[in-house]
Amino acid sequence: MNRLNAPLSIFTRIGPAWSAATATFLLTWLAIWRSSHLNDDATLYLFAADVFAAQGWDAAAAVYPRPFFSALLGSLASLTGMSALVTAFWLNALAFAATAFAFVRLAALLAHEMAPAEQSRAAWFAAVAVSLFPGLSSYFDYVIRDPLYWAASLWGLYAALCYLRSADIRYFALALAVTGLAVLLRPEALVLFPCYFAAILLQRDWPARRKLLIFSAGALSVGAGLVALAWLAPRYWHAIVQLLHLGDSNALLATLGGSWNELTGNLREHVLNRYSLDQAPAIAAAAVSIIFIGNVAEALTPAVLLAAAVLIWKGRFYWPRSSLFNLVLAAQILILLAFTVQMLFLQSRYLQLAALLLLLPVTISLARAWPALAPQRFARPVAITLAAVLFIDSHVSFGRTKEHLPAAVNWVEENLAQEGRVLFNDGQLAYLSGKLEDPASLRKIRSGRLPKVAQVSGQYEYAVIRVHRTMADNPVLASYREKFELVREFRGGNREQVLVFRIPKPGAPVASLQ
């Protein structure tokens, strides 16, 4: 039976996709169990989720202007009775599993021109690759919206590809629905819709009337969804419009142009001499290209790049013959280039969707070339070494742990729960200790500024200060040590500490905390 004509059959058999999903799910929980701290953005999402559960959408939007992920966490936490943190871990573990599942299914679908044995091998190679890929595993213990965004985007691409091959309208509806979810998580997912519509118009064997009908129906559906979003959540829609400069291409070009002019202006003023001023645009383009290529290469990891280089050298590299795949990848690259021009750096999580798309042809090519490469003496040792390198890079950490953070949280909960106002400079410590009061206090914490002694005295009773290694010579921290009583100290690696100070009232004697 053709699986493309039986949408539910992909869920009814154990194979590479289910194996990858199960392995990724378990490895995610292993990373969560081993973790001793939260990522920086976690507090923002979790606090917004708690605010949403207690006060609704508008209050959550005051904490974070695009609160869909937090609203989802808050709703699920209310339904299940779990905390927002535990709910986030469950949701992200399932999202990583869904990402792995979709990745494997995409590999099999993009390898449809191969023989059945090669197609099956491509799926199993993809299962191993996505389970070991460091780009995903480095975020297993994070509380962020990106895993759900990656899953929705890959599922949207998979469903759209299935539709183009089978003409089953249910796949097209699924593609639009899950891509809509991706847009709610990260607005740049809007670019996927034009890719779907362009791929439909590029179908050579479809009659023009059919293409026009599907194009119109899809465009109307997307438009209706955006109108509904603007009506039901106007502040959320306004945040998306501002972020992407929707309906104002001049503003978008002005933003990118302003960043470009600032870059070339700085080169002319601070780097180039008067004989090379005319070369500023070329040097700026080279710098942006180096930053972009370097970040993409880092996201793919040396092991994947080495495998791709060997396949290209052997003339065995296979690129999928799919206009939709190429359109989506090109759209992702354009978005990343725009980010690079604007910010001159790329956070690694921005790159992961593009990295996963680039990983697909590498795994398919390796599976296709394996029968020819396997008999050679170097093939198996190199393959085992690459897999080991990926596993170590993904799941073995040689860095210092942050066990001092949960110890500090536990101490604050036990000793300061009944105390008055407590000053924190770290959102994670404040949230997990149950001392995060309101959005204003969170914004102060996220500003990164340590208030001076005069601003603290008489306002707070205790100060819980997370000290990073870059704060060793901070003059404000030195004044805390001089003016306040240090009642507890928690030491971590790399010169990190958590210091608990008692702040005496003006004119009162200093007494130790028992």
Side-chain angles (χ1 to χ4, degrees):
M1 179 177 62
N2 184 356
R3 263 182 264 164
L4 289 177
N5 294 323
L8 294 180
S9 66
I10 62 172
F11 299 105
T12 59
R13 54 178 293 176
I14 301 298
W18 276 114
S19 299
T22 302
T24 304
F25 181 80
L26 295 176
L27 289 170
T28 300
W29 277 109
L30 176 63
I32 293 169
W33 175 70
R34 293 172 54 194
S35 177
S36 58
H37 68 290
L38 297 176
N39 54 294
D40 291 336
D41 290 340
T43 304
L44 191 65
Y45 293 124
L46 294 172
F47 186 58
D50 291 339
V51 170
F52 172 82
Q55 304 176 42
W57 180 274
D58 289 339
V63 179
Y64 185 67
R66 299 188 304 280
F68 175 76
F69 179 64
S70 295
L72 183 61
L73 288 180
S75 300
L76 292 175
S78 299
L79 288 173
T80 60
M82 296 186 295
S83 68
L85 178 60
V86 175
T87 302
F89 285 148
W90 271 104
L91 184 60
N92 276 3
L94 292 171
F96 278 116
T99 300
F101 195 104
F103 182 88
V104 176
R105 294 300 305 170
L106 275 170
L109 193 59
L110 293 172
H112 68 277
E113 296 178 346
M114 300 180 185
E118 291 180 327
Q119 191 175 8
S120 176
R121 191 185 310 117
W124 279 110
F125 272 58
V128 174
V130 76
S131 300
L132 299 179
F133 188 53
L136 290 183
S137 60
S138 58
Y139 294 102
F140 278 172
D141 59 340
Y142 276 46
V143 177
I144 49 175
R145 55 191 165 148
D146 297 78
L148 199 56
Y149 162 70
W150 300 329
S153 299
L154 291 183
W155 271 102
L157 175 58
Y158 172 70
L161 284 170
C162 286
Y163 171 68
L164 295 177
R165 288 195 60 199
S166 68
D168 187 337
I169 195 65
R170 291 174 295 179
Y171 281 118
F172 190 53
L174 176 62
L176 296 181
V178 294
T179 304
L181 173 61
V183 170
L184 292 173
L185 292 160
R186 296 200 71 90
E188 57 266 30
L190 277 170
V191 300
L192 294 175
F193 290 122
C195 294
Y196 300 159
F197 300 147
I200 290 172
L201 296 178
L202 291 173
Q203 288 291 96
R204 296 180 179 179
D205 55 342
W206 286 15
R209 182 178 177 182
R210 178 183 178 185
K211 290 192 286 188
L212 180 60
L213 179 63
I214 296 299
F215 181 92
S216 302
L220 286 173
S221 299
V222 173
L226 295 178
V227 169
L229 176 62
W231 180 55
L232 295 173
R235 291 180 62 179
Y236 189 86
W237 172 248
H238 182 66
I240 292 177
V241 170
Q242 283 190 317
L243 181 68
L244 300 182
H245 302 288
L246 295 178
D248 191 355
S249 57
N250 292 330
L252 176 60
L253 293 175
T255 300
L256 296 177
S259 300
W260 178 261
N261 291 335
E262 182 180 0
L263 175 58
T264 55
N266 286 333
L267 286 172
R268 291 189 179 100
E269 183 177 354
H270 302 292
V271 178
L272 304 177
N273 58 40
R274 61 191 180 92
Y275 300 105
S276 56
L277 294 179
D278 292 340
Q279 304 302 315
I283 294 172
V288 169
S289 300
I290 291 171
I291 293 172
F292 175 76
I293 294 172
N295 278 278
V296 172
E298 183 180 3
L300 284 172
T301 73
V304 174
L305 292 175
L306 178 61
V310 170
L311 290 165
I312 294 172
W313 176 52
K314 291 286 187 179
R316 299 279 184 176
F317 196 82
Y318 170 83
W319 191 264
R321 298 176 182 176
S322 167
S323 59
L324 177 56
F325 175 81
N326 292 328
L327 285 168
V328 171
L329 180 58
Q332 291 298 314
I333 290 174
L334 288 175
I335 289 172
L336 292 174
L337 281 172
F339 282 159
T340 307
V341 170
Q342 189 172 357
M343 300 183 293
L344 290 182
F345 83 101
L346 286 171
Q347 290 188 14
S348 59
R349 60 182 178 173
Y350 293 172
L351 292 153
Q352 292 313 312
L353 182 56
L356 288 170
L357 294 176
L358 290 170
L359 182 62
L360 281 166
V362 177
T363 56
I364 295 171
S365 301
L366 192 59
R368 190 182 191 189
W370 186 248
L373 295 175
Q376 302 183 30
R377 286 188 304 171
F378 72 88
R380 293 182 185 277
V382 168
I384 293 172
T385 301
L386 288 177
V389 168
L390 281 175
F391 180 81
I392 292 172
D393 191 16
S394 302
H395 304 293
V396 180
S397 174
F398 298 101
R400 298 180 183 271
T401 63
K402 298 182 183 290
E403 296 293 342
H404 65 298
L405 296 181
V409 168
N410 291 336
W411 189 90
V412 171
E413 284 185 316
E414 293 174 1
N415 293 274
L416 303 184
Q418 304 301 321
E419 300 297 334
R421 297 196 67 191
V422 180
L423 171 69
F424 290 88
N425 74 327
D426 181 78
Q428 178 183 160
L429 293 175
Y431 178 80
L432 295 178
S433 301
K435 288 284 189 177
L436 194 55
E437 299 173 353
D438 50 45
S441 62
L442 180 59
R443 283 192 290 271
K444 288 180 182 178
I445 291 172
R446 289 179 63 85
S447 70
R449 293 190 297 270
L450 197 61
K452 296 180 180 179
V453 168
Q455 298 172 302
V456 174
S457 296
Q459 301 296 319
Y460 298 92
E461 296 181 19
Y462 290 89
V464 180
I465 307 300
R466 182 177 177 182
V467 180
H468 302 279
R469 59 191 178 95
T470 55
M471 295 175 61
D473 300 322
N474 187 299
V476 178
L477 180 61
S479 65
Y480 278 34
R481 293 179 182 274
E482 179 182 350
K483 300 293 185 181
F484 303 150
E485 179 193 4
L486 179 64
V487 295
R488 196 61 193 263
E489 180 178 6
F490 301 88
R491 290 183 175 272
N494 205 18
R495 293 189 295 170
E496 289 200 4
Q497 299 171 287
V498 174
L499 305 178
V500 182
F501 295 97
R502 193 184 77 84
I503 303 172
K505 295 179 180 180
V510 173
S512 298
L513 178 69
Q514 298 298 323

